[in-house]
Amino acid sequence: MLVLALDTATPTLVAGLAAWSEDGPTEVLAEQAVPSGTRHAELLTPAISAVLAAAGVTMGDLDAVVTGLGPGPFTGLRVGVVTAAALADARGLPVFGVCSLDAIGSGARTVVTDARRKEIYWAAYADDGARVDGPAVVRPEELGRPGPFVGDPAFAARLGGDVAPAAVTTAGLLRAAGPQLADPSSAGPLLPLYLRRPDATPPTAIKTVTPV
């Protein structure tokens, strides 16, 4: 099964192409990890084109699309999820969403990524890689977990422990999506994990305008 994997939950967007099989290891054929900041919408489509070209395939060769659902900032996260849904719909492909934190690191770990506002997104995993807590958002000083930590090393001091550098990868996204790829009927809707309200919200009241 040829799978396009996307993630825009962090400041580094990921677009990758992999061959997945239920009975064998995942083979990553091409991957782009692009520091994007807030430019996900501008950079995602070129990254997709680049991985398809590098692997020598076209959109018509794809069998499925996998996308990270966050947690992540509102705007960047929407770019990846909407793009994945649009590509899958246009080609009549199944699309599967996964928690982006599940695609970072492996084994027993607590994953931490930048949530801005001096906070982190986090989730904890058991030895077999199964998520046992989270995802959630919190100030690093209030997390109260001993680690080992993986993800963004910038939070090491505030967590009181080393953070091994790790990021979302194509292989990680496919690993997280494995159960859905094996059984498409188990897939849920593409619901982004925002975990908190967007910075911009519509007004709660309509301002009265007095005629002059």
Side-chain angles (χ1 to χ4, degrees):
M1 181 181 289
L2 196 60
V3 183
L4 176 68
L6 309 175
D7 188 83
T8 55
T10 74
T12 299
L13 72 80
V14 173
L17 191 71
W20 180 88
S21 170
E22 187 174 359
D23 301 320
T26 296
E27 180 185 2
V28 177
L29 305 176
E31 182 176 57
Q32 291 264 309
V34 184
S36 50
T38 58
R39 300 168 61 211
H40 296 90
E42 176 184 347
L43 298 173
L44 182 57
T45 298
I48 294 172
S49 298
V51 297
L52 292 173
V57 302
T58 69
M59 288 293 298
D61 297 314
L62 298 178
D63 297 303
V65 180
V66 169
T67 184
L69 298 177
F74 184 86
T75 302
L77 197 50
R78 276 184 71 88
V79 170
V81 175
V82 170
T83 299
L87 291 175
D89 183 64
R91 292 290 175 177
L93 302 174
V95 57
F96 307 106
V98 300
C99 173
S100 299
L101 300 180
D102 294 356
I104 300 176
S106 61
R109 67 205 188 276
T110 297
V111 177
V112 296
T113 62
D114 189 0
R116 303 177 184 176
R117 306 182 194 174
K118 299 182 179 181
E119 294 177 325
I120 54 171
Y121 297 120
W122 70 275
Y125 300 83
D127 289 338
D128 63 358
R131 182 163 18 106
V132 295
D133 204 353
V137 60
V138 71
R139 292 179 64 87
E141 298 86 353
E142 299 170 357
L143 178 56
R145 297 194 68 91
F149 301 110
V150 304
D152 191 336
F155 294 99
R158 296 176 63 197
L159 287 165
D162 293 337
V163 180
V168 175
T169 64
T170 299
L173 290 166
L174 270 288
R175 182 189 66 230
Q180 297 179 75
L181 290 166
D183 178 14
S185 66
S186 68
L190 297 183
L191 298 177
L193 298 168
Y194 295 127
L195 300 190
R196 61 188 180 200
R197 295 180 181 276
D199 291 328
T201 57
T204 56
I206 299 175
K207 183 182 295 184
T208 302
V209 177
T210 303
V212 292

